[in-house]
DNA sequence: CTGAAAGCGCTTACAG
DNA sequence: CTGAAAGCGCTTACAG
């Protein structure tokens, strides 16, 4: 019963021709039945289905795509920053749900902010002749995708807009969300608010920084470059930087962290110093267990499920033939007060 | 410059034939160059490369697979419980790293413990003619995969063993890890240790339960079914159940939670009652920020990176022709003491 | 070292 | 409603 070697080589696989022979019909009739064309005699349909089941026949998508008018491979690409990061993973799952409902498979890939890897993976998608791609690019120039677009492959950008390319995009409102978060801290009396940001090359990192600047400007607070740290890539880097800031002569009374991992780094730095009840913190992007920390962490939450679902909707609309002008969809952020962002600034002394 | 409509239909795509015409060589010579066959005149290689670049030629994997002897699609399937769950996502990423180094793309899918969805997705992998599949099955009978195996498609199981099928597998040592964790609690004087477990149909959930039983038996502690809760699917369910147990006349003094989300549910229930300094807790599977909770959560950590990497290694060995007997690889767990598991039982009264 | 012919598994375009 | 022939883009098998 368990006699097949697990690595057994070239077994045979039934083809339409085999099914046709067993059902004693032509190849074309099998093709019609497999593709649910309605114009087949019910008796033949039955015979073909039985033969297909008996031979465990599975159609070959690659072969059918090769000859088909539309060339559809029933595959899309979903290329994100890092599928092991909850933000990317949630977008991926949301897209997967839409795709599976249409019988479409998903080729996933992670860039890790490496433009070279982006080129490798998009070229790979091209060779697989995917029907469309959802992408959160690592590179800053997307002209190279024009060729694919012109070959009929739609692209939907998520989290970061296309540059030098016309394509659909779904974004969070990073700037408005950040500005609101920083204004929230200012309203609690903070004037020395540190900023922790990811790579300046990342669109959202820049937007969140701009939101921070806008809030300070609206409140008439001068920007202090000594409490602004950008190009932080990891939780550890954020922790170290936040620690240095806290140990300085005139430390910030609050932090605004422009990303998940950076927020967690800030939490660690503040805790290490036992300052978690005195130093305020708001993070951009929600994370698991933020509500179980003490104090719980106030955040600007994004909605990755909505982002993924919307991007999938747009992509399949294009695949279905929509040739209208490119769309831009903004998904609102939600401010969630949990405690860390509601810590007031110490009374001011003059 | 940005004049292409984003949804532009059937553009043309260069084929080998086009490249051959432009380079003034035969189709076959282009094929040789694209496949890096060494027996081509360097001058022709150069001409072909230039023509290919000029036409933005990308080979068609599907077409080449169709005719190739080995029929390789340069695609593998990675089908896990839920790619949005960090455990699955980390395995996926580890596999992706190995695959990308070989120029292989990854079709990802999530089952959500739905055997029907497992059948849908494996059939889809079959139609895409993937070169191999890594799978954490939701179903309990995997005989239906025999056909694919016999057609030459290797399967590597992760997290859960194949049933009624002979295939490679990579597992955590759930039973030993669980038994150790419960013994750890017993050593702190606990005798009323509640068990929270996932669906009994899940292999690992059963193994972790068996580990719990073994530890109790070794210590001569009678099993009390009133403090054993299985078939819990969500964090909320675990929270509710743990709450009921804590509110009972003779509550448990410790919890062992057999999975990530259940551990978090237990944390919430214990906290709601302000008992986090009195009730001990050990969870199976580590999670982000477990070390930042108060008390920090003691866990039996798995190593999803090692699991994914090992599974990928096994799969590519099979794809490369290894036909040896099926392998079973056990990845050790690591016990991490952080505080919640080191809370002693209240002094016993008789 | 190079190329013309056949064929992979399927769908198209056409004829009956 | 059914089928025989041609062809999708490529590699194989063979000849030169």
């Amino acid at each position: 019963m368990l006699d097949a070697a697990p690595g057994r080589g070239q077994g045979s696989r039934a083809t339409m021709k085999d099914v046709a022979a067993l059902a004693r019909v032509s190849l074309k009739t099998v093709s019609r039945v497999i593709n649910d064309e309605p114009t087949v005699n019910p008796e033949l349909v039955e015979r073909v289905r039985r033969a297909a089941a008996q031979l465990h026949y599975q159609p070959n998508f690659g072969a059918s795509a090769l000859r088909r008018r539309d060339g559809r491979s029933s595959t899309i690409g979903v290329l994100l920053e890092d599928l092991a990061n909850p933000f990317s993973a949630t977008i991926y799952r949301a897209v997967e749900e839409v795709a599976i409902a249409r019988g479409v498979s998903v080729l996933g890939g992670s860039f890790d902010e490496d433009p070279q890897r982006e080129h490798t993976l998009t070229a790979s998608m091209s060779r697989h002749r995917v029907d469309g791609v959802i992408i959160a690019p690592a590179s800053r120039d997307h002209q190279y995708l024009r060729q694919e677009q012109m070959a009929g492959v739609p692209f939907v950008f998520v989290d970061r807009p296309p540059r030098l390319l016309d394509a659909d995009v779904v974004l969070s409102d990073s700037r408005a969300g950040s500005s609101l978060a920083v204004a929230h801290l200012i309203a609690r009396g903070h004037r020395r608010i540190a900023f922790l940001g990811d790579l300046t090359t990342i669109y959202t990192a820049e937007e969140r920084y701009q939101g921070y600047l806008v809030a300070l400007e609206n409140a008439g607070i001068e920007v202090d470059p000594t409490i602004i740290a950008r190009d932080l890539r990891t939780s550890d880097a954020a922790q170290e930087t936040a620690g240095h800031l806290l140990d300085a002569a005139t430390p910030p009374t609050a932090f605004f962290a422009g990303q998940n991992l950076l927020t967690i780094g800030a939490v660690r730095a503040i805790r290490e110093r036992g300052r978690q009840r005195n130093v305020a913190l708001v993070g951009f992007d929600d994370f698991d267990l933020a509500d179980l920390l003490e104090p719980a962490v106030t955040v600007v939450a994004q909605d990755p499920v909505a982002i993924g679902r919307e991007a999938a909707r747009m992509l399949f609309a294009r695949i279905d033939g929509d040739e209208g002008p490119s769309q831009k969809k903004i998904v609102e952020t939600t401010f969630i007060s949990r405690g860390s962002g509601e810590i007031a600034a110490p009374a001011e002394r003059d």
Side-chain angles (χ1 to χ4, degrees), chain A:
Chain A
M1 186 175 182
L2 301 182
D3 50 332
R8 166 83 111 269
Q10 351 286 27
S12 58
R13 218 188 248 286
T15 67
M16 267 192 184
K17 201 173 153 195
D18 302 323
V19 176
L22 184 60
R24 287 168 293 116
V25 296
S26 74
L27 223 190
K28 178 61 208 175
T29 295
V30 176
S31 172
R32 289 195 176 95
V33 173
I34 296 298
N35 291 293
D36 290 317
E37 287 177 31
T39 64
V40 185
N41 181 322
E43 197 191 312
L44 292 189
V45 172
E46 184 53 29
R47 239 158 69 200
V48 170
R49 289 206 197 293
R50 241 201 300 272
Q54 189 178 328
L55 297 173
H56 301 279
Y57 173 71
Q58 289 285 7
N60 183 331
F61 272 175
S64 93
L66 190 57
R67 190 62 174 93
R68 260 180 207 293
R69 221 14 176 2
D70 59 22
R72 290 290 157 66
S73 62
S74 296
T75 312
I76 60 170
V78 177
L79 305 178
L80 303 171
E81 180 180 354
D82 175 11
L83 291 176
N85 173 308
F87 179 70
S88 298
T90 305
I91 291 176
Y92 183 94
R93 266 311 304 262
V95 174
E96 183 189 344
E97 293 314 297
V98 179
I100 201 174
R102 295 181 50 127
V104 167
S105 297
V106 180
L107 283 169
S110 306
F111 294 152
D112 289 328
E113 300 303 343
D114 178 355
Q116 185 50 56
R117 188 149 160 162
E118 175 183 323
H119 286 92
T120 303
L121 285 170
T122 51
S124 182
M125 295 303 111
S126 174
R127 291 194 276 268
H128 283 293
R129 299 294 191 265
V130 296
D131 301 334
V133 177
I134 289 174
I135 185 171
S139 74
R140 287 167 68 79
D141 179 351
H142 311 125
Q143 290 179 77
Y144 74 99
L145 296 173
R146 280 275 322 276
Q147 293 301 325
E148 283 297 302
Q149 280 188 328
M150 291 196 306
V153 181
F155 284 79
V156 175
F157 284 66
V158 290
D159 195 45
R160 303 160 187 203
R163 302 202 183 194
L164 305 176
L165 188 81
D166 182 30
D168 295 323
V169 57
V170 183
L171 299 172
S172 284
D173 195 346
S174 282
R175 193 184 293 221
S178 298
S179 169
L180 196 79
V182 175
H184 182 86
L185 290 168
I186 293 170
R188 263 85 193 152
H190 296 281
R191 300 185 66 80
R192 284 188 66 70
I193 303 169
F195 177 81
L196 303 176
D198 203 333
L199 295 182
T200 54
T201 53
I202 300 174
Y203 170 80
T204 52
E206 177 63 20
E207 285 292 295
R208 292 167 201 175
Y209 178 59
Q210 292 301 328
Y212 164 82
L213 294 182
V214 165
L216 292 188
E217 188 177 350
N218 287 346
I221 299 174
E222 209 169 324
V223 175
D224 178 356
T226 66
I227 56 172
I228 292 174
R230 306 180 69 188
D231 282 316
L232 300 172
R233 272 269 65 203
T234 63
S235 185
D236 286 351
Q239 181 177 357
E240 196 186 326
T241 300
H244 287 323
L245 292 175
L246 287 168
D247 295 339
T250 51
T253 63
F255 282 88
F256 174 59
Q259 192 243 76
N260 243 336
L261 299 174
L262 307 185
T263 307
I264 291 167
V267 168
R268 290 187 197 279
I270 294 168
R271 285 245 191 154
E272 273 172 354
R273 290 160 180 78
R275 309 275 324 262
Q276 63 269 32
R277 297 287 170 195
N278 309 318
V279 177
L281 169 66
V282 178
F284 198 103
D285 202 15
D286 201 5
F287 55 95
D288 273 351
L289 305 194
D291 62 315
L292 281 182
L293 299 181
E294 297 173 14
V297 180
T298 295
V299 299
V300 180
Q302 299 188 80
D303 189 347
V305 171
I307 293 171
R309 195 187 296 141
E310 185 62 23
R313 202 191 55 67
M314 282 182 177
L315 187 72
F316 285 115
R318 294 296 183 192
I319 291 173
D320 290 341
D322 176 1
E323 307 211 349
S326 60
Q327 306 272 323
K328 175 175 186 166
K329 166 86 182 179
I330 304 294
V331 176
E332 295 303 317
T333 58
T334 311
F335 190 82
I336 307 179
S337 294
R338 291 198 179 112
S340 74
E342 288 64 45
I343 295 171
E348 290 160 51
R349 333 148 199 172
D350 289 282

